[in-house]
Amino acid sequence: MKVVVLSGGVGGARFVRGLVDVVEPRDVTVIGNVGDDVEVLGLHVSPDLDSILYALADLNDEERGWGRADETWRALETVRALGGEAWFQLGDLDLGLHLVRTQALRSGEPLSAITLRIAQALGIEARVLPATDDRLRTWLETPAGEFPFQEWFVARGHRDDVDAVRFEGDAEPAPGVLEAIDGADLILVAPSNPYVSIGPILAVPMIRDALQARRVPAVAISPLIGGRAVKGPADRMLQRLAGGTSPGHVASNYPGLIDALVVDEADADDLDGLEVRPIVTQTLMSDSNARRHLAEAALGAVVA
Ligand code: GDP
Ligand code: CA
């Protein structure tokens, strides 16, 4: 069974790691968000792609949810001591990947080709693709002004309420993305932030169109448990932008794009307004068994 999964960083990477335990990794294509990509210290950083790559290569820091395990921060200490740009956390191990990617981008290699090459070097069998090779950037409109994603998220600690999300750039799908969607038996939307992780992927018009025209089931997994985000601002954003944090509010971000939503048991009594089929189960990915369980629940949609 060929599976395509749309993914952000933390929640997406945890989910994808569980997914490749229950389906043949070679049959999985991960389409990753690049709306958060940022240039720091002259380096091109793709935080969500990196979270996915590190999780699939078992190099990730499970607790933090991003970056590498056994990380050290000595290069950043030097940057700080020298008065350099130190607001964005880049670990020593992590920096190696950013160096390789940045050099390749400067030499003209597309992000998708670089990502596939890095995945291969890390021994990853699943296919990891950026949604696009074009420049696509997420902007947040807030009462304090408009900010690029990382300035809002990291520098300002996502403290500002979000009034609107905007995507900069006319992006086309990266090579392989449409082919993967066309060839999929199942399309999954990871338990990622609908606005700033999945939103930028759906902002690529040809990707949205391909998902709309699908002839196979599409299933999203809610990133909320009991109406609360496990981590990050998804619940606050849903409250303000969709008017609530129920499964129906989550699904309202994917109109015509999903056929079922995996919701946590804690949200099972709050299904009013949900217009797609609910799949109720435990959705906290606390360990590898829990991750596998969640992946199996989502895959159940094709046999059910
Ligand atoms: P980001 O790019 O790093 O922000 O990562 P994502 O958008 O992929 O993931 C963030 C979302 O993952 C948050 O809204 C969390 O609530 C959700 N999340 C993290 N861990 C879990 C989990 O164990 N279960 C579920 N259902 N959602 C989770
Ligand atoms: Ca992200």
Side-chain angles (χ1 to χ4, degrees):
M1 180 167 58
K2 300 226 183 292
V3 181
V4 162
V5 50
L6 312 189
S7 174
V10 173
R14 284 187 180 140
F15 178 75
V16 165
R17 181 63 190 83
L19 184 64
V20 296
D21 279 344
V22 300
V23 277
E24 173 61 42
R26 264 180 286 262
D27 289 338
V28 173
T29 300
V30 187
I31 301 177
N33 169 40
V34 292
D36 314 1
D37 284 20
V38 64
E39 285 259 330
V40 201
L41 294 164
L43 301 176
H44 180 106
V45 182
S46 296
D48 288 5
L49 294 179
D50 296 345
S51 293
I52 295 163
L53 291 170
Y54 291 150
L56 286 174
D58 289 325
L59 293 171
N60 59 314
D61 187 301
E62 295 232 359
E63 211 140 294
R64 217 187 305 124
W66 57 270
R68 290 190 52 166
D70 303 316
E71 186 59 281
T72 54
W73 307 90
R74 301 192 62 195
L76 198 67
E77 281 163 26
T78 300
V79 170
R80 195 171 283 119
L82 297 176
E85 192 187 358
W87 62 279
F88 196 86
Q89 298 226 299
L90 296 175
D92 300 331
L93 299 173
D94 193 28
L95 273 166
L97 189 156
H98 308 316
L99 291 168
V100 168
R101 171 190 289 135
T102 304
Q103 186 198 28
L105 281 170
R106 292 219 174 115
S107 76
E109 195 177 350
L111 182 61
S112 56
I114 300 164
T115 307
L116 288 170
R117 196 155 60 71
I118 291 173
Q120 195 165 33
L122 293 174
I124 294 169
E125 291 177 304
R127 219 142 53 97
V128 181
L129 292 171
T132 181
D133 282 332
D134 300 328
R135 186 187 158 82
L136 173 71
R137 291 291 178 275
T138 302
W139 288 78
L140 292 305
E141 275 174 38
T142 82
E146 203 186 16
F147 302 104
F149 181 84
Q150 297 298 355
E151 194 175 331
W152 169 73
F153 193 82
V154 176
R156 299 176 65 86
H158 51 78
R159 64 175 184 265
D160 311 281
D161 285 331
V162 175
D163 293 320
V165 184
R166 181 173 71 80
F167 305 105
E168 173 198 345
D170 289 321
E172 293 198 0
V177 166
L178 292 183
E179 294 81 349
I181 294 172
D182 284 345
D185 300 303
L186 175 67
I187 295 160
L188 297 175
V189 179
S192 294
N193 186 311
Y195 296 100
V196 292
S197 292
I198 304 301
I201 302 174
L202 301 177
V204 179
M206 289 167 79
I207 295 182
R208 181 180 272 269
D209 292 347
L211 294 172
Q212 207 118 36
R214 75 191 178 282
R215 284 147 184 254
V216 298
V219 181
I221 298 93
S222 173
L224 302 191
I225 298 182
R228 310 285 294 263
V230 177
K231 200 178 168 192
D235 47 5
R236 277 177 65 203
M237 296 183 81
L238 274 157
Q239 186 65 51
R240 195 169 167 95
L241 296 171
T245 61
S246 72
H249 294 108
V250 172
S252 71
N253 282 281
Y254 308 127
L257 300 175
I258 59 170
D259 307 295
L261 181 71
V262 179
V263 305
D264 196 86
E265 287 170 352
D267 301 290
D269 56 2
D270 198 11
L271 300 179
D272 289 355
L274 180 64
E275 289 172 2
V276 298
R277 185 161 66 86
I279 300 173
V280 178
T281 191
Q282 288 179 9
T283 69
L284 184 66
M285 297 177 283
S286 44
D287 58 22
S288 58
N289 282 330
R291 284 194 299 256
R292 270 199 292 274
H293 167 81
L294 185 56
E296 273 164 0
L299 293 172
V302 276
V303 287

PDB file of all heavy atoms in Angstrom, residues 180-199:
ATOM      1  N   ALA A 180       3.506  11.191  -6.522  1.00  0.00           N
ATOM      2  CA  ALA A 180       3.252  10.424  -5.296  1.00  0.00           C
ATOM      3  C   ALA A 180       1.776  10.496  -4.915  1.00  0.00           C
ATOM      4  O   ALA A 180       1.170   9.485  -4.546  1.00  0.00           O
ATOM      5  CB  ALA A 180       4.127  10.943  -4.150  1.00  0.00           C
ATOM      6  N   ILE A 181       1.189  11.684  -5.027  1.00  0.00           N
ATOM      7  CA  ILE A 181      -0.235  11.823  -4.683  1.00  0.00           C
ATOM      8  C   ILE A 181      -1.078  10.988  -5.658  1.00  0.00           C
ATOM      9  O   ILE A 181      -1.987  10.268  -5.245  1.00  0.00           O
ATOM     10  CB  ILE A 181      -0.659  13.308  -4.695  1.00  0.00           C
ATOM     11  CG1 ILE A 181       0.060  14.067  -3.575  1.00  0.00           C
ATOM     12  CG2 ILE A 181      -2.180  13.445  -4.550  1.00  0.00           C
ATOM     13  CD1 ILE A 181      -0.120  15.582  -3.603  1.00  0.00           C
ATOM     14  N   ASP A 182      -0.747  11.081  -6.944  1.00  0.00           N
ATOM     15  CA  ASP A 182      -1.502  10.325  -7.951  1.00  0.00           C
ATOM     16  C   ASP A 182      -1.392   8.820  -7.740  1.00  0.00           C
ATOM     17  O   ASP A 182      -2.336   8.080  -8.023  1.00  0.00           O
ATOM     18  CB  ASP A 182      -1.002  10.671  -9.358  1.00  0.00           C
ATOM     19  CG  ASP A 182      -1.519  12.025  -9.812  1.00  0.00           C
ATOM     20  OD1 ASP A 182      -2.473  12.525  -9.171  1.00  0.00           O
ATOM     21  OD2 ASP A 182      -0.982  12.579 -10.783  1.00  0.00           O
ATOM     22  N   GLY A 183      -0.239   8.369  -7.258  1.00  0.00           N
ATOM     23  CA  GLY A 183      -0.017   6.925  -7.122  1.00  0.00           C
ATOM     24  C   GLY A 183      -0.372   6.380  -5.751  1.00  0.00           C
ATOM     25  O   GLY A 183      -0.177   5.190  -5.489  1.00  0.00           O
ATOM     26  N   ALA A 184      -0.879   7.232  -4.868  1.00  0.00           N
ATOM     27  CA  ALA A 184      -1.119   6.796  -3.487  1.00  0.00           C
ATOM     28  C   ALA A 184      -2.387   5.961  -3.359  1.00  0.00           C
ATOM     29  O   ALA A 184      -3.361   6.179  -4.086  1.00  0.00           O
ATOM     30  CB  ALA A 184      -1.211   8.015  -2.571  1.00  0.00           C
ATOM     31  N   ASP A 185      -2.361   5.019  -2.418  1.00  0.00           N
ATOM     32  CA  ASP A 185      -3.566   4.284  -2.042  1.00  0.00           C
ATOM     33  C   ASP A 185      -4.237   4.949  -0.850  1.00  0.00           C
ATOM     34  O   ASP A 185      -5.394   4.667  -0.540  1.00  0.00           O
ATOM     35  CB  ASP A 185      -3.214   2.840  -1.665  1.00  0.00           C
ATOM     36  CG  ASP A 185      -2.569   2.116  -2.832  1.00  0.00           C
ATOM     37  OD1 ASP A 185      -3.201   2.058  -3.905  1.00  0.00           O
ATOM     38  OD2 ASP A 185      -1.418   1.652  -2.682  1.00  0.00           O
ATOM     39  N   LEU A 186      -3.475   5.774  -0.152  1.00  0.00           N
ATOM     40  CA  LEU A 186      -3.992   6.451   1.042  1.00  0.00           C
ATOM     41  C   LEU A 186      -3.209   7.746   1.232  1.00  0.00           C
ATOM     42  O   LEU A 186      -1.984   7.768   1.060  1.00  0.00           O
ATOM     43  CB  LEU A 186      -3.804   5.553   2.271  1.00  0.00           C
ATOM     44  CG  LEU A 186      -4.174   6.163   3.636  1.00  0.00           C
ATOM     45  CD1 LEU A 186      -5.680   6.422   3.724  1.00  0.00           C
ATOM     46  CD2 LEU A 186      -3.733   5.232   4.768  1.00  0.00           C
ATOM     47  N   ILE A 187      -3.938   8.802   1.559  1.00  0.00           N
ATOM     48  CA  ILE A 187      -3.303  10.095   1.841  1.00  0.00           C
ATOM     49  C   ILE A 187      -3.534  10.417   3.310  1.00  0.00           C
ATOM     50  O   ILE A 187      -4.663  10.325   3.799  1.00  0.00           O
ATOM     51  CB  ILE A 187      -3.898  11.190   0.930  1.00  0.00           C
ATOM     52  CG1 ILE A 187      -3.544  10.882  -0.535  1.00  0.00           C
ATOM     53  CG2 ILE A 187      -3.374  12.578   1.329  1.00  0.00           C
ATOM     54  CD1 ILE A 187      -4.425  11.578  -1.535  1.00  0.00           C
ATOM     55  N   LEU A 188      -2.473  10.744   4.002  1.00  0.00           N
ATOM     56  CA  LEU A 188      -2.583  11.073   5.420  1.00  0.00           C
ATOM     57  C   LEU A 188      -2.141  12.511   5.671  1.00  0.00           C
ATOM     58  O   LEU A 188      -1.236  13.008   4.999  1.00  0.00           O
ATOM     59  CB  LEU A 188      -1.698  10.122   6.252  1.00  0.00           C
ATOM     60  CG  LEU A 188      -2.064   8.644   6.194  1.00  0.00           C
ATOM     61  CD1 LEU A 188      -1.040   7.810   6.969  1.00  0.00           C
ATOM     62  CD2 LEU A 188      -3.466   8.414   6.767  1.00  0.00           C
ATOM     63  N   VAL A 189      -2.801  13.141   6.609  1.00  0.00           N
ATOM     64  CA  VAL A 189      -2.364  14.460   7.081  1.00  0.00           C
ATOM     65  C   VAL A 189      -1.934  14.253   8.529  1.00  0.00           C
ATOM     66  O   VAL A 189      -2.745  13.890   9.384  1.00  0.00           O
ATOM     67  CB  VAL A 189      -3.496  15.506   6.990  1.00  0.00           C
ATOM     68  CG1 VAL A 189      -3.000  16.853   7.507  1.00  0.00           C
ATOM     69  CG2 VAL A 189      -4.003  15.621   5.557  1.00  0.00           C
ATOM     70  N   ALA A 190      -0.660  14.428   8.797  1.00  0.00           N
ATOM     71  CA  ALA A 190      -0.088  14.154  10.121  1.00  0.00           C
ATOM     72  C   ALA A 190      -0.721  15.057  11.177  1.00  0.00           C
ATOM     73  O   ALA A 190      -1.324  16.081  10.848  1.00  0.00           O
ATOM     74  CB  ALA A 190       1.424  14.377  10.071  1.00  0.00           C
ATOM     75  N   PRO A 191      -0.573  14.691  12.473  1.00  0.00           N
ATOM     76  CA  PRO A 191      -1.067  15.558  13.549  1.00  0.00           C
ATOM     77  C   PRO A 191      -0.171  16.778  13.709  1.00  0.00           C
ATOM     78  O   PRO A 191       0.536  16.937  14.703  1.00  0.00           O
ATOM     79  CB  PRO A 191      -1.029  14.647  14.783  1.00  0.00           C
ATOM     80  CG  PRO A 191       0.042  13.653  14.481  1.00  0.00           C
ATOM     81  CD  PRO A 191      -0.021  13.433  12.991  1.00  0.00           C
ATOM     82  N   SER A 192      -0.219  17.621  12.714  1.00  0.00           N
ATOM     83  CA  SER A 192       0.608  18.824  12.651  1.00  0.00           C
ATOM     84  C   SER A 192      -0.296  20.045  12.748  1.00  0.00           C
ATOM     85  O   SER A 192      -1.514  19.936  12.576  1.00  0.00           O
ATOM     86  CB  SER A 192       1.371  18.853  11.320  1.00  0.00           C
ATOM     87  OG  SER A 192       2.314  17.797  11.257  1.00  0.00           O
ATOM     88  N   ASN A 193       0.299  21.190  12.983  1.00  0.00           N
ATOM     89  CA  ASN A 193      -0.473  22.431  13.068  1.00  0.00           C
ATOM     90  C   ASN A 193      -1.150  22.708  11.718  1.00  0.00           C
ATOM     91  O   ASN A 193      -0.470  22.863  10.703  1.00  0.00           O
ATOM     92  CB  ASN A 193       0.473  23.577  13.450  1.00  0.00           C
ATOM     93  CG  ASN A 193      -0.259  24.872  13.712  1.00  0.00           C
ATOM     94  OD1 ASN A 193      -1.097  25.303  12.915  1.00  0.00           O
ATOM     95  ND2 ASN A 193       0.051  25.506  14.823  1.00  0.00           N
ATOM     96  N   PRO A 194      -2.498  22.775  11.689  1.00  0.00           N
ATOM     97  CA  PRO A 194      -3.184  22.949  10.400  1.00  0.00           C
ATOM     98  C   PRO A 194      -2.819  24.253   9.696  1.00  0.00           C
ATOM     99  O   PRO A 194      -2.804  24.314   8.474  1.00  0.00           O
ATOM    100  CB  PRO A 194      -4.670  22.964  10.783  1.00  0.00           C
ATOM    101  CG  PRO A 194      -4.746  22.355  12.136  1.00  0.00           C
ATOM    102  CD  PRO A 194      -3.444  22.648  12.813  1.00  0.00           C
ATOM    103  N   TYR A 195      -2.549  25.288  10.467  1.00  0.00           N
ATOM    104  CA  TYR A 195      -2.330  26.628   9.880  1.00  0.00           C
ATOM    105  C   TYR A 195      -0.909  26.827   9.376  1.00  0.00           C
ATOM    106  O   TYR A 195      -0.707  27.346   8.280  1.00  0.00           O
ATOM    107  CB  TYR A 195      -2.654  27.724  10.902  1.00  0.00           C
ATOM    108  CG  TYR A 195      -4.103  27.716  11.284  1.00  0.00           C
ATOM    109  CD1 TYR A 195      -4.514  27.129  12.476  1.00  0.00           C
ATOM    110  CD2 TYR A 195      -5.065  28.253  10.440  1.00  0.00           C
ATOM    111  CE1 TYR A 195      -5.855  27.091  12.824  1.00  0.00           C
ATOM    112  CE2 TYR A 195      -6.411  28.218  10.778  1.00  0.00           C
ATOM    113  CZ  TYR A 195      -6.797  27.642  11.964  1.00  0.00           C
ATOM    114  OH  TYR A 195      -8.119  27.594  12.297  1.00  0.00           O
ATOM    115  N   VAL A 196       0.067  26.467  10.205  1.00  0.00           N
ATOM    116  CA  VAL A 196       1.442  26.833   9.852  1.00  0.00           C
ATOM    117  C   VAL A 196       2.297  25.641   9.439  1.00  0.00           C
ATOM    118  O   VAL A 196       3.451  25.841   9.044  1.00  0.00           O
ATOM    119  CB  VAL A 196       2.123  27.637  10.992  1.00  0.00           C
ATOM    120  CG1 VAL A 196       1.450  29.001  11.126  1.00  0.00           C
ATOM    121  CG2 VAL A 196       2.105  26.903  12.317  1.00  0.00           C
ATOM    122  N   SER A 197       1.761  24.423   9.544  1.00  0.00           N
ATOM    123  CA  SER A 197       2.526  23.267   9.058  1.00  0.00           C
ATOM    124  C   SER A 197       1.884  22.663   7.812  1.00  0.00           C
ATOM    125  O   SER A 197       2.548  22.421   6.816  1.00  0.00           O
ATOM    126  CB  SER A 197       2.648  22.198  10.154  1.00  0.00           C
ATOM    127  OG  SER A 197       3.458  22.670  11.212  1.00  0.00           O
ATOM    128  N   ILE A 198       0.579  22.411   7.876  1.00  0.00           N
ATOM    129  CA  ILE A 198      -0.113  21.828   6.723  1.00  0.00           C
ATOM    130  C   ILE A 198      -0.562  22.937   5.762  1.00  0.00           C
ATOM    131  O   ILE A 198      -0.516  22.782   4.534  1.00  0.00           O
ATOM    132  CB  ILE A 198      -1.322  20.979   7.183  1.00  0.00           C
ATOM    133  CG1 ILE A 198      -0.865  19.897   8.185  1.00  0.00           C
ATOM    134  CG2 ILE A 198      -2.022  20.344   5.984  1.00  0.00           C
ATOM    135  CD1 ILE A 198       0.171  18.926   7.686  1.00  0.00           C
ATOM    136  N   GLY A 199      -0.953  24.085   6.319  1.00  0.00           N
ATOM    137  CA  GLY A 199      -1.408  25.216   5.500  1.00  0.00           C
ATOM    138  C   GLY A 199      -0.457  25.574   4.361  1.00  0.00           C
ATOM    139  O   GLY A 199      -0.892  25.756   3.215  1.00  0.00           O
TER     140      GLY A 199
END
